[in-house]
Amino acid sequence: MKLSTRTRYGVRAILELAENAGEGPLQLRIIARRQGISVKYLEQLMAVLKSAGFVRSIRGAKGGYILAKPPDKIRLDEVFYCLEGTVTTAECVEDEKYCQRAAGCAARIIWTQVHEAIEKVLEAITLQDLIDKANACGAANYHI
Amino acid sequence: MKLSTRTRYGVRAILELAENAGEGPLQLRIIARRQGISVKYLEQLMAVLKSAGFVRSIRGAKGGYILAKPPDKIRLDEVFYCLEGTVTTAECVEDEKYCQRAAGCAARIIWTQVHEAIEKVLEAITLQDLIDKANACGAANYHI
DNA sequence: TAATATACTACCAAATTAGTAGGAATATCA
DNA sequence: TGATATTCCTACTAATTTGGTAGTATATTA
């Protein structure tokens, strides 16, 4: 069930943009350095996020990326779906016709339950929520 | 987030054994035919399930596989862990030292929540539970 | 001993994933 | 206008994982 680096890096990158929301554009070079990801690989991930409408790019010197929507309007399930492709656990979960045995299938019950549990978590949380929680934890760590 | 065929086939195979519990040993040939999986591939999966102590093998003519424990004593999280390897979404979830940024990391919060949601579902259900539910559904389909 | 099964080891092919490379297009600033 | 900084685009490649096959050894039953 491990997530692909594509999803992991992609989410980390969009979170950087979310934390930077309201400031100017953030360059890949900066994100790459902060997150320890190659600029060239990030380029590809950002292209995906861009075509899905989550981020906007500004070309040229002093350019970079910014979120296309406020961070409290971007839910994690949308981002996952965009990066991970299928958020589902098995084909038959969403397409009953995929397998003849689907109707009385014991296995399909568990695939479905896991799938729904994941979706429920991701639907309920936005980029802003995550940042707030992280700040709460980070602050606690610094013993303020 | 798609499960590997390893996990999907493995769970389906062990469910066949669970449904057969109390009868004699079940041959891979039979499971393979019912589930549409190659015998040779099943062999490998059963070897994994065997070394983890979920099933026992009986060699020779009239041999086959049986569950090593009653089906209500085998939880799905154990089976998943055995087949899938890591049930976790990212390394840092279970190993905080894996990444320096782990403490205040917004991304890690979501990896963790998804991970916990999956575990919660799988911990709460046994092979027997699944079979019971499937029978309930199957019965409904047959309009009894 | 013949037939039937699992056990074990090795190998292989396809697909996916992760990452690199190079240069073109574009915007900024001096 | 020219130097620089940045995204954009396309292609390539290396590594890993996945899914599967083959052959032989070993155990059991009849």
Side-chain angles (χ1 to χ4, degrees):
Chain A
M1 294 295 282
K2 202 172 151 194
L3 295 164
S4 62
T5 61
R6 186 183 168 88
T7 298
R8 286 183 288 119
Y9 291 0
V11 168
R12 282 159 60 191
I14 202 173
L15 276 168
E16 285 282 346
L17 294 184
E19 286 172 1
N20 196 60
E23 325 275 317
L26 192 59
Q27 289 96 40
L28 289 189
R29 185 171 48 82
I30 309 290
I31 300 176
R33 193 171 56 214
R34 286 197 197 148
Q35 294 289 337
I37 305 172
S38 109
V39 174
K40 284 296 191 179
Y41 193 38
L42 259 186
E43 269 185 12
Q44 294 179 37
L45 305 185
M46 293 311 277
V48 174
L49 290 170
K50 186 186 169 191
S51 69
F54 293 115
V55 306
R56 282 216 307 271
S57 64
I58 294 124
R59 297 174 73 157
K62 300 249 172 126
Y65 288 88
I66 56 172
L67 281 193
K69 306 188 242 181
D72 62 339
K73 297 292 183 228
I74 301 182
R75 292 200 319 272
L76 264 291
D77 64 321
E78 302 172 310
V79 179
F80 263 64
Y81 189 82
C82 159
L83 291 164
E84 189 82 359
T86 114
V87 187
T88 197
T89 46
E91 303 287 350
C92 62
V93 170
E94 295 188 311
D95 177 14
E96 182 154 359
K97 295 186 205 72
Y98 184 80
C99 172
Q100 303 166 336
R101 292 175 286 269
C105 177
R108 184 164 175 259
I109 294 175
I110 196 66
W111 311 153
T112 304
Q113 287 194 6
V114 170
H115 171 69
E116 286 171 354
I118 296 172
E119 271 201 330
K120 199 172 153 194
V121 168
L122 295 177
E123 279 170 7
I125 198 160
T126 67
L127 294 182
Q128 186 64 55
D129 295 333
L130 271 185
I131 291 172
D132 293 345
K133 288 196 190 189
N135 285 339
C137 294
N141 281 338
Y142 290 129
H143 306 293
I144 293 176
Chain B
M1 293 297 282
K2 203 170 149 193
L3 295 164
S4 62
T5 60
R6 185 184 169 89
T7 298
R8 286 184 288 120
Y9 290 1
V11 169
R12 281 158 62 191
I14 201 172
L15 276 167
E16 285 281 346
L17 294 184
E19 285 171 3
N20 196 59
E23 324 276 318
L26 191 59
Q27 288 97 42
L28 290 189
R29 184 169 50 82
I30 309 290
I31 300 176
R33 195 170 55 213
R34 286 195 197 151
Q35 294 288 337
I37 305 171
S38 112
V39 174
K40 285 294 189 180
Y41 194 38
L42 260 185
E43 265 186 16
Q44 293 179 37
L45 305 185
M46 293 310 277
V48 174
L49 290 170
K50 186 185 169 192
S51 69
F54 294 115
V55 307
R56 282 217 308 270
S57 64
I58 294 127
R59 295 174 73 154
K62 301 246 173 130
Y65 286 89
I66 56 173
L67 281 193
K69 306 188 241 180
D72 63 338
K73 297 291 184 232
I74 301 183
R75 292 200 320 271
L76 264 290
D77 66 320
E78 301 172 313
V79 179
F80 263 64
Y81 189 81
C82 159
L83 291 164
E84 190 82 0
T86 112
V87 186
T88 196
T89 45
E91 304 288 351
C92 61
V93 170
E94 294 188 312
D95 177 14
E96 183 154 359
K97 294 187 207 74
Y98 183 81
C99 172
Q100 303 166 336
R101 291 175 285 270
C105 177
R108 185 166 176 257
I109 294 175
I110 195 66
W111 313 153
T112 304
Q113 287 195 6
V114 170
H115 171 68
E116 286 171 355
I118 296 172
E119 271 200 329
K120 199 172 155 194
V121 168
L122 295 177
E123 277 170 7
I125 198 159
T126 67
L127 294 182
Q128 187 65 53
D129 294 333
L130 270 186
I131 291 172
D132 293 344
K133 289 196 189 189
N135 285 339
C137 294
N141 282 338
Y142 290 128
H143 306 295
I144 293 176

